[in-house]
Amino acid sequence: MTKIEDGAVVLFQGDSITDCGRNRQNGHDLGVGYALMAAARFGHLYPQKEVRFLNRGIGGNRVVNLLDRWQEDCIDLKPTWVSIYIGINDTWRRYDRDDPTSTEEFAERYHRLILQTKEQLNAKIILVEPFVLPVPEDRRNWREDLDPKIQVVRRLASEFQTLYVPLDGLFAAASAQTAPDYWAPDGVHPSPAGHALIADAWLKAVQA
């Protein structure tokens, strides 16, 4: 049986991968990515639970941006579950804008985010680890920045006993069978099949 209770409010938070074209004027719009896919499948499986899903992902966000808008875009919404998927832009900005986020800054900010969520909402938390695929080739160099950040997310999941979605490993495994650009044409933003992979992994984490 799924871990998500009857009448739950589930909030998806993150960057463009979560945002995925949602209409920000409509608070109920889920975009067209994994958030919509996971919510649709869950609603189909458990109609009697009447679970409500919200999406507040914003493209380009880093952990610091989540912190800045956490009151309005998380705490005030009073979710009972918070799914956080953040981190790739904390790596990307180092390479495209020479604006790095150190592993220590990333860890400290992410820790504050979870602490705030626990203390002010007592919500259950799902952490989704960021991934990158070697498309184009220069993305391989990103591993030195991203890998320590993935380790941070894993440590936080352990420290706070959250549910966990191990995406980097799942995308690596999928890319061993089918070319990486099938799953994420630019190594970062998932294709529809990539979004379905995330949605499946997310549903598995909540035992749906």
Side-chain angles (χ1 to χ4, degrees), residues 50 55 63 83 98 130 134 136 145-146 149 160 165 167-168 196 198:
E50 297 186 2
N55 183 350
V63 170
S83 174
D98 194 25
D145 190 278
L146 187 64
K149 291 182 170 71
F160 288 99
V165 185
L167 276 198
D168 194 56
I198 299 171

Side-chain angles (χ1 to χ4, degrees), residues 8-159:
V9 178
V10 179
L11 172 65
F12 291 104
Q13 261 295 0
D15 51 35
S16 59
I17 300 170
T18 302
D19 184 344
C20 209
R22 71 182 176 87
N23 174 0
R24 294 187 198 160
Q25 270 58 62
N26 176 359
H28 302 289
D29 192 275
L30 293 171
V32 294
Y34 80 89
L36 175 67
M37 293 179 184
R41 182 80 183 134
F42 190 96
H44 166 61
L45 290 171
Y46 305 102
Q48 73 287 354
K49 282 187 163 288
E50 297 186 2
V51 172
R52 202 152 58 88
F53 290 89
L54 301 170
N55 183 350
R56 292 297 184 272
I58 293 184
N61 269 194
R62 297 189 270 186
V63 170
V64 67
N65 304 116
L66 291 193
L67 266 178
D68 287 346
R69 61 187 182 84
W70 209 240
Q71 184 66 43
E72 181 185 354
D73 283 349
C74 179
I75 308 299
D76 291 351
L77 300 172
K78 296 185 169 49
T80 55
W81 286 83
V82 181
S83 174
I84 306 173
Y85 179 7
I86 200 74
I88 192 61
N89 291 315
D90 291 85
T91 285
W92 201 340
R93 294 296 85 86
R94 168 180 166 181
Y95 296 95
D96 70 346
R97 293 186 198 159
D98 194 25
D99 181 13
T101 302
S102 71
T103 304
E104 293 71 28
E105 286 171 323
F106 181 76
E108 189 269 331
R109 290 165 180 167
Y110 211 143
H111 190 276
R112 272 164 55 201
L113 204 64
I114 297 172
L115 210 55
Q116 221 177 314
T117 311
K118 286 277 190 195
E119 287 174 350
Q120 296 188 46
L121 291 173
N122 195 29
K124 298 182 186 72
I125 295 172
I126 304 161
L127 297 186
V128 184
E129 76 182 15
F131 77 92
V132 70
L133 292 174
V135 191
E137 275 296 310
D138 69 352
R139 301 274 194 264
R140 288 187 193 280
N141 303 331
W142 293 17
R143 302 258 35 139
E144 75 165 308
D145 190 278
L146 187 64
D147 285 349
K149 291 182 170 71
I150 290 172
Q151 293 304 322
V152 165
V153 185
R154 290 176 183 171
R155 283 200 304 274
L156 289 170
S158 173
E159 177 183 344

